[in-house]
Amino acid sequence: MSAEERFAGGERAVNGEPVVRVRNLHKWFGRLHVLRGVDLDVAEREVVVIIGRSGSGKSTFLRCINFLEEPSAGEVAVAGISIPAGHRGRELNRDLLKLRMRTGMVFQEFNLFPHMTVLENVSEGPVTVKRIPRAEAVRMGEHFLAKVGLLDKRDEYPIRLSSGQKQRVAIARALCMEPRVMLFDEPTSALDPELTGEVLDVMRQLARDGMTMLVVTHEMGFARDVADRVIFMEDGIFVEQGPPDVIFRRPQDPRTQRFLQRVLD
Amino acid sequence: MVPGAVRPVDVADAAWGERQLLVQARQRRVRQLQLFAVWLGIIVLVAGVLVRFNLDVGFMTTWGWFILSRGVPTTLGVSLASITFATVLALIGSLMRISRSPILSGIASFYVSLFRGTPLLVQIYIIYIGLPQLGIVLPAIFAGVLALSLNYGAYMTEIFRAGIQSIGHGQREAALSLGMTPQQTFRRIIWPQAVRLIIPPIGNEFVAMLKDSSLVSVMGIWELTFTATKSGRPRFKNMEALLIAAAAYWVLTALFSTIQSLIESRLGKAHER
């Protein structure tokens, strides 16, 4: 499927409510102003890739969406659940859990649970969070393990997996919660170089299946091939965004041009 | 055994590696023999000194049984009860210590500081002969278990806290990102991993407690030390009685150290390779 077709898919869903809606997001770490008022709408089935130098705030932005990082100001909504920054009461805490259930996250360092087998890792969420009967959760787990091509590893412990396999299990674990959007925080940065391909392939397939995705990555090839929209971030703001063809071929902002010049050759 | 496809140079290498393993195994055996010889030498020396005491073997056989049968169960019982309560205290204490509430964390850090900063013997005296001034009179055995539990609970609070906090931040984030509550995250993800780290030091604490339980002898509890001094002193056979008690402690601690290292190696093996 070409980028144009995928973008059309995104276009179609724009009519509906965006899956992710971020308004005027700020984040301070002490006196460091890491996010300086960021707005973002991600449509159903859209794949958005955020690029930029390390320290530009990409990961912090992603982590603010499911409140692993508490935003300092602004508002985040995922799948209709809207949570403002700042202190929360009981009601909003319930919303927070709901928001996280609908938001899958894949970490740079995998963070698989080492005391659980692969199958237990992926079925843990459905069993503990969604209270789905174990037998059904196991069926779901097996389904998503098959999807990432690791069903034969179901009874292994994570320590016996390669880094690429670990990350694919981590993707399956997030998918098992049947999230409305998947957040990828530099999913290939901790991989052995020859293993990035297998993880990117799984992500490509996911995009083809229509998953809404928000990806922070240094993989420019992936951004060019898979993204409906590429966002260049620097100093805590979105400098420039658009379809990959535009961003990679005709970047308007000099900061984007400088960055791309450095990473593309 | 060697498949045809393997080239001679590989065979040579394999044989060389195997020889190295054999050499290393022999070196380990020699080392063990050396250690054993040193121990044997020391034991002979000590035995030589002990002979000079003209130890009363008759006393040791007749009263030895009494000291062991009366003392060992009490020492073990007090230690087991205390380590159990101390573990519960440590679990509560460590959770309070890492809680975000300043009140809970403050109480826990105060408890740890106080009970680690004062001698166990003084704590025993305060509970046993200090509290009665307030009208609180505890039976000796309760006072002993209470003092040991509170004291070891304080040390173990820190062990538990370190174990819990050593579980990487990513584990917590992964669990939270699935939508788990902080409580579920602790119960399902953090605690099961922390336990593997905590159990070996608990074994250490138990071995130390076996010996520290001798301090409760000051309250007249018939554990090993008290039984030994009670049996030896009126008959002027202190050395005989104390040697029996010391030997009993040594055997007990060696036994539990062995059990502990077995548990440790089993825990270490789980989930690996």
Side-chain angles (χ1 to χ4, degrees), chain B residues 32-175:
Chain B
Q32 267 167 1
L33 277 175
Q34 288 169 332
L35 288 179
F36 181 71
V38 172
W39 277 53
L40 202 64
I42 296 173
I43 288 170
V44 168
L45 268 173
V46 171
V49 173
L50 288 179
V51 166
R52 308 280 298 250
F53 277 92
N54 271 322
L55 293 175
D56 184 342
V57 179
F59 172 89
M60 289 178 82
T61 45
T62 49
W63 286 90
W65 175 243
F66 170 73
I67 293 170
L68 293 179
S69 62
R70 187 86 200 257
V72 170
T74 311
T75 288
L76 273 178
V78 166
S79 301
L80 280 172
S82 303
I83 201 81
T84 308
F85 291 128
T87 303
V88 175
L89 277 175
L91 177 56
I92 297 168
S94 58
L95 288 178
M96 286 170 66
R97 188 81 178 73
I98 58 182
S99 107
R100 239 185 294 177
S101 151
I103 296 171
L104 295 181
S105 185
I107 293 171
S109 60
F110 181 84
Y111 159 65
V112 169
S113 173
L114 182 67
F115 278 87
R116 290 208 308 182
T118 51
L120 176 55
L121 186 56
V122 173
Q123 292 164 14
I124 290 171
Y125 276 134
I126 286 176
I127 291 172
Y128 190 54
I129 57 179
L131 287 187
Q133 285 179 240
L134 297 175
I136 304 169
V137 182
L138 295 173
I141 199 104
F142 281 1
V145 169
L146 183 62
L148 282 170
S149 304
L150 285 170
N151 183 272
Y152 273 69
Y155 281 95
M156 287 164 64
T157 291
E158 288 300 282
I159 294 174
F160 277 44
R161 182 182 64 85
I164 291 166
Q165 287 186 336
S166 71
I167 305 304
H169 213 61
Q171 292 292 309
R172 200 179 137 264
E173 292 187 344

Side-chain angles (χ1 to χ4, degrees), chain B residues 153-214:
Chain B
Y155 281 95
M156 287 164 64
T157 291
E158 288 300 282
I159 294 174
F160 277 44
R161 182 182 64 85
I164 291 166
Q165 287 186 336
S166 71
I167 305 304
H169 213 61
Q171 292 292 309
R172 200 179 137 264
E173 292 187 344
L176 291 179
S177 78
L178 290 174
M180 287 195 202
T181 63
Q183 292 77 12
Q184 288 170 332
T185 301
F186 183 78
R187 229 182 33 245
R188 301 285 308 167
I189 307 301
I190 307 296
W191 180 245
Q193 295 183 60
V195 161
R196 287 181 63 212
L197 302 173
I198 290 170
I199 284 178
I202 292 181
N204 268 337
E205 292 298 298
F206 181 68
V207 168
M209 187 179 276
L210 277 175
K211 295 174 290 165
D212 275 352
S213 69
S214 65

Side-chain angles (χ1 to χ4, degrees), chain A residues 169-208:
Chain A
V169 172
I171 293 172
R173 176 176 68 180
L175 289 175
C176 239
M177 290 298 289
E178 300 183 303
R180 295 288 306 281
V181 57
M182 287 282 284
L183 309 178
F184 290 86
D185 187 6
E186 301 198 24
T188 57
S189 297
L191 298 181
D192 301 323
E194 77 270 24
L195 300 179
T196 55
E198 60 186 67
V199 171
L200 292 176
D201 284 345
V202 167
M203 290 169 63
R204 260 188 206 104
Q205 183 58 48
L206 214 52
R208 249 177 263 136

Side-chain angles (χ1 to χ4, degrees), chain A residues 8-72:
Chain A
E11 219 56 274
R12 219 182 9 255
V14 165
N15 304 326
E17 185 85 346
V19 179
V20 176
R21 198 189 66 219
V22 178
R23 288 292 173 268
N24 194 29
L25 198 72
H26 286 266
K27 175 68 183 175
W28 279 272
F29 285 120
R31 286 161 66 185
L32 213 61
H33 200 176
V34 185
L35 296 178
R36 307 160 172 253
V38 178
D39 296 284
L40 176 70
D41 280 345
V42 182
E44 183 101 50
R45 305 171 73 89
E46 193 181 11
V47 177
V48 176
V49 172
I50 303 178
I51 59 174
R53 260 182 293 177
S54 47
S56 58
K58 324 184 285 291
S59 283
T60 305
F61 173 66
L62 211 62
R63 291 160 55 81
C64 278
I65 290 178
N66 65 353
F67 289 82
L68 286 184
E69 229 47 272
E70 178 76 42
S72 307

Side-chain angles (χ1 to χ4, degrees), chain A residues 101 118-148 150-151 154 169 171-179, chain B residues 178:
Chain A
M101 277 168 66
V118 164
L119 187 61
E120 286 165 350
N121 262 278
V122 295
S123 55
E124 176 65 21
V127 169
T128 301
V129 178
K130 286 189 168 174
R131 308 266 174 222
I132 287 176
R134 188 166 291 277
E136 196 181 322
V138 163
R139 264 200 308 280
M140 286 174 65
E142 285 171 340
H143 169 74
F144 286 109
L145 282 178
K147 217 171 163 74
V148 300
L150 287 172
L151 187 54
R154 63 198 286 278
V169 172
I171 293 172
R173 176 176 68 180
L175 289 175
C176 239
M177 290 298 289
E178 300 183 303
Chain B
L178 290 174

